[in-house]
Amino acid sequence: MPDTVKYLLEESRIPRSWYNLVADLPTPPPAVLHPGTLQPVGPGDLEPLFPMSLILQEVTAEREVEIPEPVREVYKQWRPSPLFRARRLEKALDTPARIYYKYEGVSPAGSHKPNTAVPQAFYNKEAGIHKITTETGAGQWGSSLAFAGALFGVQVDVYMVRVSYNQKPYRRALMETYGARCVASPSNETASGRAVLANRPDHPGSLGIAISEAVELAAQRDDTKYALGSVLNHVLLHQTVLGQEAMAQLEMANDYPDVIVGCTGGGSNFAGIAFPFLGAQLRGGKKTRIVAVEPSACPSLTRGRYAYDFGDTAHLTPLTKMHTLGSTFTPPGFHAGGLRYHGMAPLVSHVKELGLIEAKAFHQLACFSAGVQFARAEGIVPAPEANHAVRGAIDEALRCKQEGRSEAILFNLCGHGHFDMQAYIDYFAGKLTDQEYDESELAMALAGLPSVPA
Amino acid sequence: MPDTVKYLLEESRIPRSWYNLVADLPTPPPAVLHPGTLQPVGPGDLEPLFPMSLILQEVTAEREVEIPEPVREVYKQWRPSPLFRARRLEKALDTPARIYYKYEGVSPAGSHKPNTAVPQAFYNKEAGIHKITTETGAGQWGSSLAFAGALFGVQVDVYMVRVSYNQKPYRRALMETYGARCVASPSNETASGRAVLANRPDHPGSLGIAISEAVELAAQRDDTKYALGSVLNHVLLHQTVLGQEAMAQLEMANDYPDVIVGCTGGGSNFAGIAFPFLGAQLRGGKKTRIVAVEPSACPSLTRGRYAYDFGDTAHLTPLTKMHTLGSTFTPPGFHAGGLRYHGMAPLVSHVKELGLIEAKAFHQLACFSAGVQFARAEGIVPAPEANHAVRGAIDEALRCKQEGRSEAILFNLCGHGHFDMQAYIDYFAGKLTDQEYDESELAMALAGLPSVPA
């Protein structure tokens, strides 16, 4: 059996700043627009929702944004996270490729989400905020913000997509153990929720609706702000600790990735692992292929339109230009809840448009098959979302085998699957299918995109 | 908020040998007896069940047992595990005590169990064994052996206590994801199982019955051996990587424990953290109070008899002298499944009899209350078993506060609770009670102890 190869950095090597790709882009990303005026929003427009420190991070063009010491202190609990060379998987695949994976399942919530939950809780606390509202799908984000809120003494109210609320009581219990309040969405606590329920009392909910509820409540009170777990520039920014650490760890390995693979839902774990390498390339460094992997059943990057759209269903958010399936699009109920969002991070969409990254879509059976192969070789059971990255990485390794090329492949294993075992049960029982989205629903959702003059 | 204080050792500091307390004991532990002859068993008697390398570890009096390199290689995946100073918990308790915890939830199975699962799979593989049978209660042990079996290419058949098999499908799915076969016990696959089912077709099962089934099958085939996740000397031996690492980490902290707390089911995580310190004390080192914490509903150390008894229900195992509630004792269905065993590791029982350790019993509500307090302060949700150690450590810290003493308290946080969230759901819903065992059942079980002349 091959040896275990783990690259660990000293605690002092936790990055001191987050990396902002905007500083290195050939063209800046399109402006965020106010949905009423269709004019670019200013920091003041976002103030009801976010503390000013996060708003400034959202719009900054500085290359480096300093990480506050209290945030680095909390990061120390699990960071720097390990980078592994997947030697046992390489052997199982009989590939000449060198496969590396960054493993974020070591965080207390079991995923990469605390990387941004912690600074978001910190900046809110610093701004005197008492309560943060947010949405969650599968619960990875909600439990991460609940964790961060407990540490900084900020109350967290999580609006959880109802179908997940019912199907994933364990994630909900994790949030409650951390002291957060978890509410099934759509709820009767908001006008947005009541409007949905009036039409359909048994509505299963969606991320778009849950965002509307959390945004609505935050906008109403001075001591309450909103937090989002992906999509926004400052969230992607916080996740760049991932790629920065991986770069230093690959330096220890005396290697550099030919290919980077990440899974994309809102885009933050993908950006976190890829953007520091992409930035290095844009500054004249070595070229790396960067591959975003998304679910075929919710294919914003591969099948969505690059257009201005709302981030939520009730249209309370600003308009951002992104790859979108339309804010009313409801994907089938496949098992990677964290990848079931109609849009894509504007910054990820922008670099896709610039031709700086590729995108692929996979069906879920192929992803679970890859996840099981990975678990048996490497000993770690990935989250269903992460299985998309595993699938992408294995396919690259098999291509290397076919072409006889010894490339270095890096992927982000963004979380463990301990809370998602029902998906594996269904997979082994033959109950999972490769669900397709409804083409006519997609057409209708795209037809409903807001009209924004070029 | 206090800083995070984490002590990490370099990979090269993974211990090169396991520590054997027997070498430093003032008197050796009582012999293991053959149930038929009542004579001490020899290595040959155990050969149907274990590979010879493990049998020799079971009986060795050598102080150090070398850890094979392939085992250290697998350990590297998550070892050395971190030692934390619980600064945020200390602040919440307002205690002058310094609280340290070793955290074993970072292993791929989420607990300390892989520390022995990996060497057991390795030695079996080395001996040409194709299949290992074992039992599991809550599933921590079964999933750890499944993980180790996957890495070394040994088939693992797990007999899982039926009530847990039904209540914990996620643990079962974890074992199956690793490629193990998981069977509800009592089953129709063994004479022991069929005998139980003949009497009571809906029998919920017990660890003692599951052990009988796994032992019976292993004894029948040359290519199949049995593995136990706790109790035996070689299992405790393997867990001493825990205490050895903690000792080195406390050296980094320039500190030494006044008190060590561990939870006890079969005794292996407790022995793992405590025995290296106890050995140092016996060799003339600093004195440390060592406190074993067990559930009040299954109180082998505090209420059991120190006597020869069987390890299983069908009386297929040798007789060991230990604190036992009687092999027919069935504890109430409380939530720390890993602590629901009628006996105690003979070596832990022996040092208890020698007055070298203390034992305490706690009810489950007090343990869950401690676990929730810990989760909100330190950000990690403990397994129900580990909550017993947390309770014990918090009580020591509160005593320090009352006495105005600044003692150093070390405890082992043996696993995370991600697979046990139903217990937290029940706790928050007010459905957990402080169950008492049945006094008359205990009396009957003790009356049934085998008669062994002194």
Side-chain angles (χ1 to χ4, degrees), chain A residues 4 6 73 76 177-178 379, chain B residues 4 6 73 76 178 376 379:
Chain A
T4 300
K6 176 171 73 170
E73 279 302 324
K76 282 182 188 171
T177 302
Y178 285 134
Chain B
T4 300
K6 175 170 74 170
E73 278 302 325
K76 281 182 189 172
Y178 285 134
R376 292 181 185 175

Side-chain angles (χ1 to χ4, degrees), chain B residues 220-402:
Chain B
Q220 285 166 0
R221 291 183 59 105
D222 281 350
D223 69 346
T224 302
K225 299 283 182 195
Y226 167 73
L228 188 64
S230 190
V231 177
L232 297 177
N233 294 351
H234 67 269
V235 180
L236 275 54
L237 180 78
H238 299 157
Q239 293 294 353
T240 59
V241 289
L242 268 174
Q244 293 183 71
E245 285 181 9
M247 202 178 271
Q249 287 163 313
L250 283 171
E251 225 166 83
M252 290 169 73
N254 201 18
D255 212 337
Y256 200 87
D258 297 290
V259 192
I260 297 174
V261 180
C263 60
T264 46
S268 74
N269 100 75
F270 169 79
I273 190 86
F275 280 7
F277 290 93
L278 179 55
Q281 174 183 324
L282 291 169
R283 293 193 304 277
K286 203 185 149 194
K287 168 116 179 74
T288 298
R289 277 181 59 222
I290 297 175
V291 183
V293 179
E294 64 182 8
S296 296
C298 192
S300 55
L301 272 176
T302 53
R303 302 290 310 276
R305 190 170 301 165
Y306 185 55
Y308 273 101
D309 196 6
F310 291 96
D312 72 324
T313 307
H315 296 180
L316 303 177
T317 69
L319 293 172
T320 51
K321 195 159 187 188
M322 58 181 175
H323 291 86
T324 177
L325 301 162
S327 66
T328 63
F329 178 80
T330 304
F334 61 90
H335 263 296
L339 308 183
R340 297 179 72 248
Y341 185 62
H342 69 274
M344 179 50 58
L347 215 42
V348 172
S349 289
H350 182 58
V351 297
K352 172 73 168 55
E353 281 301 294
L354 292 175
L356 297 172
I357 65 167
E358 306 167 27
K360 287 185 182 177
F362 288 106
H363 281 105
Q364 70 177 350
L365 285 179
C367 295
F368 274 92
S369 154
V372 170
Q373 181 171 31
F374 181 85
R376 292 181 185 175
E378 294 292 318
I380 298 171
V381 178
E385 292 82 2
N387 281 344
H388 290 73
V390 175
R391 176 78 269 162
I394 287 181
D395 280 9
E396 293 292 336
L398 293 175
R399 175 188 56 73
C400 287
K401 179 180 178 175
Q402 202 162 18

Side-chain angles (χ1 to χ4, degrees), chain A residues 1 3-4 6 73 76-77 79 84 88 108 151 170 173 176-178 376 378-379 418-419 422 425, chain B residues 1 3-4 6 73 76-77 79 84 88 108 151 173 176-178 376 378-379 418-419 422 425:
Chain A
M1 192 173 61
D3 290 352
T4 300
K6 176 171 73 170
E73 279 302 324
K76 282 182 188 171
Q77 188 170 2
R79 304 214 70 84
F84 290 99
R88 300 191 291 252
L151 298 194
Y170 292 0
E176 288 168 355
T177 302
Y178 285 134
R376 291 181 184 175
E378 294 292 317
H418 291 180
F419 282 97
Q422 187 60 48
I425 293 174
Chain B
M1 192 172 62
D3 290 352
T4 300
K6 175 170 74 170
E73 278 302 325
K76 281 182 189 172
Q77 189 169 0
R79 306 213 69 83
F84 291 98
R88 298 191 293 252
L151 298 194
E176 289 169 354
T177 302
Y178 285 134
R376 292 181 185 175
E378 294 292 318
H418 292 181
F419 283 97
Q422 188 60 48
I425 293 175

Side-chain angles (χ1 to χ4, degrees), chain B residues 50 116 120 132-135 141 145 211 226-232 234-235 341:
Chain B
F50 304 106
T116 184
Q120 291 196 54
I132 307 176
T133 61
T134 196
E135 74 293 327
W141 166 242
L145 193 65
I211 293 174
Y226 167 73
L228 188 64
S230 190
V231 177
L232 297 177
H234 67 269
V235 180
Y341 185 62

Side-chain angles (χ1 to χ4, degrees), chain B residues 398-417:
Chain B
L398 293 175
R399 175 188 56 73
C400 287
K401 179 180 178 175
Q402 202 162 18
E403 297 175 356
R405 296 164 70 94
S406 171
E407 295 183 9
I409 300 165
L410 167 66
F411 75 98
N412 188 31
L413 191 71
C414 59
H416 66 59

